[in-house]
Amino acid sequence: MEEKQNFTVSVYTENNVGILNRLSAIFLKRHINIESMTVSKSEIEDVHRFTFVVIVTKTLIRKVVGQLEKQIEVIRAFYHTEDEIIYHETALFKISSKHLYDETIQNKMKFRRAHIISITENYFVIEASGLKEDIDNMYEKLKPYGLLQFVRSGRIAITRPKMAISELLLEIN
Amino acid sequence: MKETLTIKSQIKDNETTERISGSEAVIKCLLAEDVDILYGYPGGAIMPVYDELYKYQDKIHHVLARHEQGATHAAQGFARISGRVGVCIATSGPGATNLITGIADAQIDSTPMVCITGQVGSHLLGSDAFQETDIIGISTPVTKWNYQITKASEIPEIMAKAFYIAKSGRPGPVLVDITKDAQFEEFDFTYKKCTKVRSYKAVPETDSSMVKKAAELINAAKKPMIVWGQGVILGGAEKELKAVIEKAGIPSAWTILGASAIPTAHPLNIGMVGMHGNYAPNKLTNECDVLIAIGMRFDDRVTGNLETYAKQAKVIHFEIDPAEIDKNVKTDVAVLGDSKESLTQLLPLLNKNKHSEWHQEFKDLYAIEYDEVIKNDLHPTKEGLTMGEVLKEINKQTDGEAAIVTDVGQHQMIACRYAEFKNTRSNITSGGLGTMGFGLPAAIGAKMATPEREVISISGDGGYQMTIQELGTIFQQKAAVKVVVLNNDFLGMVRQWQQLFFDKRYASTEMINPNFVAIAEGYYIKARKVTKREELADAVKEMIESKEAYFLEVCVEKEDNVFPMIPTGACVSDIRLK
Ligand SMILES: Cc1ncc(C[n+]2csc(CCOP(=O)(O)OP(=O)(O)O)c2C)c(N)n1
């Protein structure tokens, strides 16, 4: 059996209503769970970028990316393994103010990419960013203080190999 | 995301503007795309467009179906026989959802179709208004493209794109949903045909080095075999395929949708592959040394168990859709591009060849199939009529010139196995989706597209009743469709599986049928029922000679089975003759 692994799928699309539906339908058809998803604008004007993370085999991701790319409004789609990308996630933790001066919490925040971004009378908010494991780690550490709210972003990723979208668009236009 | 469409497209200039309503613009777009016939059903949210259809009735003929599903299949039949884009139109809500089966069918069978649906006013969108349904959401997984228009000014660009996308590259269905306010709104109309969409590459370039590799493999092959599919017909590459087959002397088989691209009687035509295909090509798929797939997609009904499919062979895949490469079968050489272009490039690189001994292997296996199956199907000695002999009689009396439109089931397999085609685009059937109810309305569309052709619809008693109401369309349109029902009083194909794999437990497959002749006559269609062999030839003659529509019911043996057969998931070479 071929092994499953994390793949980061980057899909460059036109900026139109309804594309997400079309893309997610392709994962749905093959019963693939989307681990994380981010949509944003890209380096090119009017071109959007979807970043999906899925855990599947290489054979399957090849086929899925082919089917994503086939959608009319998809300009190009790529898949990358973990070592081909530089990636990041961000999380926000809302915690009751009574722990603000707790030394243990200060210690736990020594992780280099965590800091307090807001303080009010009742609560304060910690922002942490890093790899999924870093944030999982932080989550476990902060949980005992009672998380009033927790939210984590989808993965954003920059690929080491080139994704020649601009060149491709130049060629088409 | 932005609300307006920003697909960049290149457009030809021939501008004159005039101030008209969105609904009139829809008609003008259709006329600009050379649409002179469309199939549909009116209702509240599409009434402004129907009002314009009324005004433009001398230029564009609207065919009122009896159910929106019938309209889609008619549009499919129209497209499949003519190569033009089939168009259908329906209202919002139930009208739109009734289109879905036909759209899904067109998607999986790569049929160019544009569906126009009315939608509630844009201010009501999302409010669960009367007859509001999210047809964009519902149709997304089964359309090549879809779009909701909320402003009249979007109509020309979107309609132009719809037609371009539907017919270019690997064709497919496109749905355009238009809110009612956009239909009423006036704007300055100007139409430019779409020739390019920047995010969509209709036809990938054919890489000549791949063609060369393919030619080298074919030239070195001792036992090459071709399996062609509908891609040959869609690409208009019948002549090129024939030239390739004849020059290289390669025994060639077809998938169900590839049928009729090369005449049945061609000496190198070795028959159909797949579950109920011919014995020789299925068996020898696992003997050939080079398998050349042309415009086909290795459907599981063709391959059986992939783990044991053509493992000994080098596989060459000529294909327009990159997503099909290595999807099911791993290829050694993939030649992307349009079949006409790639086969044209291939031809001069091929060596002349004969492969007589290898061809003989097919003939030997055919002889076995003939003795075990074909003889009994076509020249039965038992009392009951067989479906095969009906096909044989139709072949004889139409001299293979007819277009055969089938429904889904045993009769479909028998028709595809035994119909003798002389011309391309003569086999119209629901292959990928296997949609019962497809046949009768598809035959109407086919007949209306090509009135000069003999169009014969062949259905089973089950599927026929799924769209039987379209007899009303035949009657109203005076469409001279010949309608044959091969009646075995069973959902035959399912019954066959129950017999073979469920110990004859015939769960809900027996049909207590109505008086089919009376029903046809109720629609003022000439009708006849045949129960005896002696009557068959005369009845078929009467049907073929009829200038108008004709209904023929043939009562066939109730529990006949279709063989050969590859049981689901079995290996192609384990094909059973009984
Ligand atoms: C819409 C739809 N429902 C169910 C099926 C499953 N099915 C496949 S063949 C078949 C039996 C068809 O019976 P009939 O139309 O009488 O044709 P026969 O097989 O007897 O020739 C059925 C129920 C289908 N293909 N399509």
Side-chain angles (χ1 to χ4, degrees):
Chain A
M1 274 282 277
E2 199 187 342
E3 217 174 299
K4 289 186 178 183
Q5 53 174 313
N6 266 321
F7 284 101
T8 301
V9 179
S10 308
V11 189
Y12 286 83
T13 74
E14 298 292 356
N15 177 13
N16 296 329
V17 180
I19 294 182
L20 175 58
N21 224 9
R22 216 164 246 290
L23 301 183
S24 67
I26 290 164
F27 292 104
L28 174 64
K29 250 173 99 168
R30 289 191 181 262
H31 204 92
I32 297 170
N33 193 24
I34 296 170
E35 304 294 324
S36 119
M37 190 202 76
T38 312
V39 197
S40 72
K41 62 185 196 179
S42 71
E43 63 276 21
I44 305 146
E45 198 171 333
D46 276 342
V47 172
H48 265 227
R49 178 171 172 173
F50 289 76
T51 308
F52 297 95
V53 180
V54 291
I55 306 171
V56 292
T57 62
K58 178 136 192 210
T59 311
L60 185 55
I61 199 67
R62 253 204 68 255
K63 295 177 188 181
V64 168
V65 166
Q67 289 173 327
L68 290 169
E69 195 160 273
K70 170 170 154 176
Q71 302 309 310
I72 302 292
E73 286 153 326
V74 170
I75 298 166
R76 275 303 295 275
F78 302 86
Y79 64 91
H80 293 98
T81 54
E82 300 293 80
D83 52 3
E84 290 173 322
I85 55 171
I86 298 146
Y87 59 97
H88 220 71
E89 286 173 8
T90 297
L92 300 175
F93 302 81
K94 180 174 170 182
I95 297 168
S96 165
S97 301
K98 67 178 184 236
H99 299 297
L100 187 55
Y101 299 105
D102 201 324
E103 256 183 47
T104 55
I105 209 167
Q106 303 273 358
N107 279 339
K108 280 167 188 159
M109 276 183 52
K110 291 233 169 85
F111 164 58
R112 63 195 158 102
R113 284 188 299 242
H115 51 269
I116 293 172
I117 56 169
S118 174
I119 304 176
T120 71
E121 212 177 303
N122 301 322
Y123 64 85
F124 64 103
V125 177
I126 300 173
E127 181 200 307
S129 64
L131 304 182
K132 182 172 183 295
E133 300 75 56
D134 298 332
I135 290 170
D136 283 346
N137 212 334
M138 194 75 182
Y139 180 90
E140 289 309 322
K141 284 182 180 163
L142 295 179
K143 209 168 133 195
Y145 300 94
L147 295 174
L148 299 176
Q149 279 186 44
F150 167 74
V151 65
R152 183 220 299 271
S153 74
R155 170 181 291 191
I156 52 172
I158 295 286
T159 66
R160 295 179 200 276
K162 197 165 165 185
M163 297 191 284
I165 293 296
S166 311
E167 286 89 331
L168 185 83
L169 287 177
L170 257 174
E171 195 184 303
I172 298 170
N173 282 337
Chain B
M1 289 203 195
K2 261 191 287 173
E3 290 250 338
T4 49
L5 185 88
T6 55
I7 299 182
K8 301 292 181 294
S9 62
Q10 262 193 6
I11 32 198
K12 281 188 221 145
D13 286 310
N14 57 338
E15 283 184 49
T16 47
T17 49
E18 49 183 328
R19 196 154 182 88
I20 56 172
S21 67
S23 48
E24 186 172 1
V26 171
I27 309 297
K28 287 197 177 271
C29 296
L30 293 176
L31 293 174
E33 294 292 340
D34 297 321
V35 175
D36 50 15
I37 188 163
L38 77 170
Y39 303 84
Y41 212 98
I46 194 71
M47 281 184 67
V49 176
Y50 269 82
D51 195 42
E52 296 300 330
L53 279 169
Y54 182 84
K55 295 177 198 159
Y56 281 87
Q57 56 185 284
D58 57 328
K59 295 207 173 67
I60 187 163
H61 179 56
H62 176 265
V63 176
L64 176 65
R66 292 300 181 267
H67 184 294
E68 289 86 352
Q69 184 187 348
T72 57
H73 295 327
Q76 288 181 275
F78 175 94
R80 291 272 288 272
I81 204 164
S82 68
R84 295 167 66 192
V85 179
V87 181
C88 50
I89 180 163
T91 191
S92 65
T97 55
N98 275 347
L99 299 177
I100 292 298
T101 304
I103 293 176
D105 195 287
Q107 170 85 339
I108 201 161
D109 279 352
S110 310
T111 307
M113 178 157 85
V114 170
C115 299
I116 300 162
T117 49
Q119 182 56 280
V120 300
S122 56
H123 64 292
L124 291 171
L125 284 173
S127 71
D128 303 325
F130 177 65
Q131 293 195 329
E132 181 190 3
T133 189
D134 173 17
I135 198 61
I136 293 296
I138 292 171
S139 66
T140 292
V142 290
T143 46
K144 186 171 173 187
W145 187 60
N146 60 8
Y147 190 82
Q148 184 173 64
I149 292 176
T150 53
K151 290 192 235 17
S153 58
E154 295 177 295
I155 289 171
E157 193 193 343
I158 296 303
M159 290 293 286
K161 262 175 206 145
F163 276 87
Y164 172 67
I165 290 168
K167 70 187 170 206
S168 60
R170 180 176 180 176
V174 171
L175 182 135
V176 179
D177 193 36
I178 313 177
T179 59
K180 202 167 176 183
D181 49 327
Q183 297 172 40
F184 279 125
E185 192 187 348
E186 292 206 337
F187 74 113
D188 295 324
F189 175 82
T190 153
Y191 195 76
K192 301 161 195 163
K193 278 206 175 185
C194 174
T195 56
K196 192 169 165 183
V197 172
R198 78 165 183 183
S199 55
Y200 163 58
K201 192 159 181 65
V203 183
E205 272 113 49
T206 302
D207 178 345
S208 56
S209 70
M210 287 298 162
V211 181
K212 212 169 137 236
K213 274 192 190 157
E216 280 162 10
L217 271 184
I218 296 170
N219 286 337
K222 294 275 172 292
K223 296 175 164 193
M225 173 174 154
I226 286 176
V227 178
W228 85 78
Q230 193 191 201
V232 170
I233 297 172
L234 293 170
E238 293 92 341
K239 262 200 220 125
E240 289 74 10
L241 175 64
K242 186 159 168 277
V244 163
I245 291 174
E246 287 173 354
K247 184 172 183 192
I250 303 174
S252 300
W254 36 277
T255 69
I256 189 167
L257 289 190
S260 83
I262 302 287
T264 313
H266 191 285
L268 285 163
N269 183 337
I270 49 160
M272 178 164 77
V273 288
M275 185 172 270
H276 291 291
N278 291 99
Y279 192 55
N282 275 314
K283 268 248 176 250
L284 297 179
T285 294
N286 278 0
E287 300 273 322
C288 66
D289 58 357
V290 176
L291 180 64
I292 307 137
I294 306 174
M296 58 83 88
R297 59 185 178 86
F298 295 107
D299 181 81
D300 55 285
R301 282 292 197 262
V302 163
T303 63
N305 184 356
L306 282 172
E307 303 300 318
T308 58
Y309 180 80
K311 287 295 179 202
Q312 79 296 339
K314 291 251 185 290
V315 178
I316 305 172
H317 196 176
F318 288 84
E319 175 58 51
I320 197 165
D321 178 359
E324 292 297 346
I325 302 296
D326 293 343
K327 188 182 84 176
N328 298 334
V329 170
K330 189 98 184 85
T331 48
D332 295 279
V333 178
V335 184
L336 286 173
D338 175 63
S339 54
K340 196 179 181 87
E341 171 63 28
S342 50
L343 294 179
T344 302
Q345 287 191 28
L346 178 70
L347 186 65
L349 307 181
L350 293 179
N351 296 340
K352 274 200 186 135
N353 220 325
K354 272 223 158 25
H355 299 295
S356 315
E357 271 173 46
W358 168 234
H359 192 191
Q360 188 59 41
E361 290 189 38
F362 289 87
K363 292 180 192 162
D364 294 345
L365 290 178
Y366 177 82
I368 297 174
E369 183 182 346
Y370 186 85
D371 280 342
E372 296 269 343
V373 180
I374 300 173
K375 192 173 68 188
N376 302 322
D377 279 351
L378 299 186
H379 309 280
T381 48
K382 61 184 176 191
E383 199 188 325
L385 280 157
T386 65
M387 293 182 175
E389 62 187 311
V390 180
L391 259 296
K392 188 184 65 171
E393 195 58 43
I394 291 174
N395 287 335
K396 199 167 119 194
Q397 298 208 28
T398 58
D399 198 21
E401 296 287 346
I404 304 289
V405 186
T406 56
D407 210 77
V408 171
Q410 290 184 313
H411 66 279
Q412 174 191 33
M413 295 299 127
I414 294 287
C416 292
R417 286 175 51 78
Y418 295 123
E420 284 169 12
F421 298 113
K422 282 195 174 153
N423 310 302
T424 187
R425 292 188 182 273
S426 292
N427 174 56
I428 296 168
T429 194
S430 167
L433 204 65
T435 306
M436 284 172 71
F438 173 88
L440 181 66
I444 299 173
K447 182 68 191 176
M448 298 188 86
T450 55
E452 70 285 359
R453 290 198 70 179
E454 183 73 77
V455 176
I456 304 180
S457 150
I458 300 178
S459 301
D461 46 307
Y464 177 59
Q465 293 182 76
M466 283 204 174
T467 48
I468 193 170
Q469 74 283 351
E470 300 307 330
L471 289 174
T473 312
I474 292 182
F475 168 58
Q476 185 167 353
Q477 298 297 326
K478 300 190 173 57
V481 179
K482 309 299 166 62
V483 181
V484 178
V485 168
L486 300 178
N487 184 3
N488 52 14
D489 289 318
F490 269 109
L491 297 173
M493 185 57 92
V494 178
R495 187 210 53 75
Q496 172 170 347
W497 285 46
Q498 288 170 333
Q499 179 185 343
L500 298 177
F501 310 117
F502 295 87
D503 290 331
K504 273 195 160 192
R505 289 186 296 277
Y506 290 168
S508 294
T509 43
E510 194 174 357
M511 286 227 140
I512 309 287
N513 280 316
N515 181 340
F516 285 123
V517 166
I519 291 175
E521 284 174 348
Y523 284 100
Y524 307 99
I525 293 169
K526 270 195 283 179
R528 181 165 171 182
K529 174 173 174 170
V530 165
T531 53
K532 294 198 191 70
R533 184 159 294 127
E534 306 84 78
E535 306 159 7
L536 180 65
D538 183 59
V540 171
K541 181 158 179 271
E542 192 175 304
M543 172 177 85
I544 302 299
E545 282 176 355
S546 170
K547 295 269 174 284
E548 319 153 18
Y550 189 99
F551 172 80
L552 176 64
E553 174 186 1
V554 183
C555 298
V556 294
E557 194 72 32
K558 285 191 174 206
E559 298 190 36
D560 270 357
N561 289 334
V562 185
F563 282 107
M565 176 176 194
I566 306 165
T568 322
C571 167
V572 273
S573 48
D574 291 340
I575 181 167
R576 292 167 56 171
L577 285 168
K578 53 183 171 230

